């Protein structure tokens, strides 16, 4: 028993407790059966996508897709750090937009940190870029963030409807953090670096196969309404490819069990609170106006709630307060672009911190939180202004 307890970290214990409470709500009927059924129908494709895209990202990493890409970015930079910086920003944005923010935090972060260390450049600005862009670039498409997938059906029937409202705030969410990081780390970013030696993937069949599957998947994620379908197909193709070429990589831990358990438990608990009227007092936040002040109020509450309790429950709690697509997008600005301050505001931030510390990068939470305030406040305000202008 003691050995088992030593293997369970605090995060795992918290998830297990939440899952147990959620099960009690379901079994005892505290969450009525009709509400539970409706919730299940809503979240099943969402969680299915999360599982599939996580498997895709993990297997693509094992096929060296991200490592080879990073090496090529370094060579394309031709020894200029600012050119490499622009390439890394682009990589982080594309990874977040199409493969979710967790992929950027967990997979892209160690790649670019190790790359910076290998060429003799401070990895700190690159590490900060990945964690901030993982959050702020995650507003772009429904597939970019779990909160987006939940909101997408109410915003529009296809990704184009979502993008028509999200493109301007997302652009702000990318430009503001990048501009502030560039100014703060200008001495590092306007320097030079030594060119790294070229490296080839150990298994070219795996590399090119995984690369081809990713290239085929990305446009489908931007064009398809039921994104779990192409993501699942890509995951199956990669599993078959690895079963032939590198079967020992296929393991149950490819499935993000803890994240799925946490998300499912939060879905059930917040739905239980809504079904029993516990959160009815939040109706005072509801708005059907599209003025900048009204939208900023909703975005600000979302950002504060995300930094207080985490962005996913913050969205679930406040969702009924957003009465139309524009208000929903304002709420998404708050819970996606705002959680840059507290460590627990976003699961991606916690995952990122574990990765960078294990790679020897010193991160002090006090300083990181201060910089988070400096970045989050103007980003949320300007992104909401952009939404108000786009929405007319």
């Amino acid at each position: 028993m003691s050995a088992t307890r030593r293997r369970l970290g605090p995060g795992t214990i918290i998830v297990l407790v939440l899952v147990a409470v959620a099960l009690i709500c379901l079994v005892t009927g505290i969450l009525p059966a009709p509400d539970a059924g409706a919730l299940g129908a809503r979240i099943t494709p969402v969680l299915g996508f999360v599982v599939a895209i996580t498997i895709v990202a993990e297997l693509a990493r094992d096929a060296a897709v991200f490592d080879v890409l990073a090496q090529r970015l370094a060579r394309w930079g031709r020894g200029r750090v600012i050119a490499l910086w622009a390439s890394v920003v682009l990589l982080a944005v594309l990874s977040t937009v199409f493969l979710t923010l967790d992929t950027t935090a967990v997979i892209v972060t160690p790649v670019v940190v190790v790359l910076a260390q290998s060429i003799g450049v401070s990895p700190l600005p690159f590490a900060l870029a990945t964690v901030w862009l993982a959050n702020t670039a995650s507003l772009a498409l429904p597939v970019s963030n779990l909160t987006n997938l939940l909101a997408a059906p109410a915003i529009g029937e296809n990704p184009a409807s979502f993008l028509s409202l999200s493109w301007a705030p997302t652009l702000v969410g990318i430009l503001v953090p990048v501009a502030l990081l560039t100014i703060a780390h200008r001495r590092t970013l306007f320097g030079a670096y030594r060119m790294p030696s070229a490296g080839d993937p150990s298994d070219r069949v795996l590399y090119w196969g995984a690369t081809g599957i990713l290239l085929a998947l990305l446009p489908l994620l931007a064009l398809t309404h039921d994104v779990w379908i192409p993501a699942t197909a890509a995951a199956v193709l990669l599993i078959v490819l690895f079963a032939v070429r590198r079967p020992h990589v296929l393991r149950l831990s490819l499935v993000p069990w803890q994240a799925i358990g946490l998300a499912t438990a939060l879905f059930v608990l917040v739905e239980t609170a809504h079904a029993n009227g516990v959160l009815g007092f939040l109706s005072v936040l509801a708005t059907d106006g599209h003025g900048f002040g009204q939208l900023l109020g909703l975005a600000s509450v979302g950002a504060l709630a995300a930094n207080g309790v985490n962005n996913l429950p913050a969205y679930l709690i406040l969702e009924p307060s957003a009465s139309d697509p524009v208000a929903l997008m304002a709420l998404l600005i708050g819970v996606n672009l705002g959680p840059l301050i507290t460590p627990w505001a976003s699961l991606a931030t916690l995952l990122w911190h574990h990765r960078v510390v294990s790679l020897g990068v010193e991160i002090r939470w006090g300083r990181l939180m201060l910089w988070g305030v400096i970045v989050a406040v103007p980003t949320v305000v300007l992104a909401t202004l952009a939404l108000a202008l786009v929405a007319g």
Side-chain angles (χ1 to χ4, degrees):
M1 179 66 73
S2 61
T4 301
R5 286 179 179 172
R6 283 197 297 270
R7 287 196 296 267
L8 295 179
T12 303
I13 294 174
I14 291 172
V15 171
L16 290 175
V17 171
L18 290 174
V19 169
V21 176
L23 285 173
I24 292 172
C25 293
L26 291 171
V27 172
T28 61
I30 298 175
L31 177 61
D35 294 290
L39 177 65
R42 181 187 184 192
I43 68 174
T44 297
V46 172
L47 296 178
F49 169 78
V50 172
V51 171
I53 204 66
T54 301
I55 292 173
V56 167
E58 290 285 353
L59 292 181
R61 176 183 61 179
D62 285 333
V65 172
F66 294 103
D67 292 317
V68 172
L69 181 57
Q71 292 171 1
R72 290 182 179 176
L73 292 179
R75 292 200 295 275
W76 292 339
R78 298 182 180 276
R80 295 170 298 172
V81 179
I82 193 65
L84 177 61
W85 169 247
S87 300
V88 167
V89 166
L90 181 61
L91 173 61
V93 169
L94 291 176
S95 169
T96 301
V97 169
F98 292 103
L99 299 176
T100 78
L101 72 168
D102 292 338
T103 296
T104 302
V106 175
I107 294 176
V108 174
T109 293
V111 170
V112 299
V113 167
V114 171
L115 172 63
Q117 292 171 331
S118 69
I119 61 177
V121 174
S122 169
L124 185 59
F126 297 91
L128 292 175
T130 57
V131 69
W132 285 346
L133 290 174
N135 288 284
T136 62
S138 72
L139 189 69
L141 293 174
V143 299
S144 308
N145 198 321
L146 184 54
T147 55
N148 299 0
L149 286 171
L150 295 171
I155 291 179
E157 295 183 354
N158 54 65
S161 301
F162 191 98
L163 187 60
S164 67
L165 290 176
S166 69
W167 71 269
T170 300
L171 189 60
V172 171
I174 294 169
L175 293 178
V176 172
V178 170
L180 291 175
L181 276 174
T182 303
I183 294 170
H185 295 273
R186 57 189 178 277
R187 292 184 179 178
T188 296
L189 298 179
F190 286 92
Y193 64 88
R194 58 179 182 271
M195 295 289 288
S197 57
D200 293 320
S202 59
D203 189 322
R204 298 184 67 84
V205 173
L206 272 181
Y207 168 74
W208 285 111
T211 300
I213 291 170
L214 272 182
L215 290 176
L217 174 63
L218 297 188
L220 293 177
L221 294 179
L223 300 173
T224 307
H225 175 65
D226 295 318
V227 290
W228 67 271
I229 297 176
T232 301
V236 171
L237 288 174
L238 281 170
I239 288 172
V240 171
L241 181 61
F242 271 81
V244 175
R245 303 290 301 184
R246 196 179 292 171
H248 67 276
V249 170
L250 300 177
R251 56 199 185 277
L252 286 177
S253 59
L254 287 173
V255 177
W257 300 109
Q258 187 164 316
I260 294 299
L262 175 62
T264 304
L266 291 174
F267 286 139
V268 171
L269 294 175
V270 175
E271 186 64 24
T272 300
H274 282 306
N276 289 278
V278 176
L279 301 176
F281 68 94
L282 293 173
S283 61
V284 297
L285 298 174
T287 177
D288 55 4
H290 295 168
F292 171 61
Q294 293 168 302
L295 296 178
L296 182 59
L298 189 54
S300 299
V301 171
L304 290 172
N307 282 288
V309 298
N310 182 265
N311 64 334
L312 180 57
Y315 173 80
L316 294 171
I317 291 168
L318 295 170
E319 184 183 49
S321 302
S323 56
D324 63 19
V326 177
L328 270 174
M329 188 58 65
L331 176 58
L332 288 176
I333 288 174
V335 300
N336 287 14
L337 278 62
L340 304 181
I341 303 171
T342 59
W344 56 81
S346 166
L347 177 61
T349 302
L350 292 174
L351 296 172
W352 165 86
H353 183 261
H354 175 73
R355 288 294 193 277
V356 295
V357 170
S358 67
L359 292 170
V361 180
E362 183 180 1
I363 300 293
R364 297 180 180 177
W365 278 121
R367 186 173 179 83
L368 184 63
M369 291 171 67
L370 176 61
W371 272 105
V373 173
I374 294 172
V375 174
V377 172
T379 301
V380 170
V381 172
L382 293 176
T384 307
L385 177 60
L387 173 63
L389 294 174
V390 169

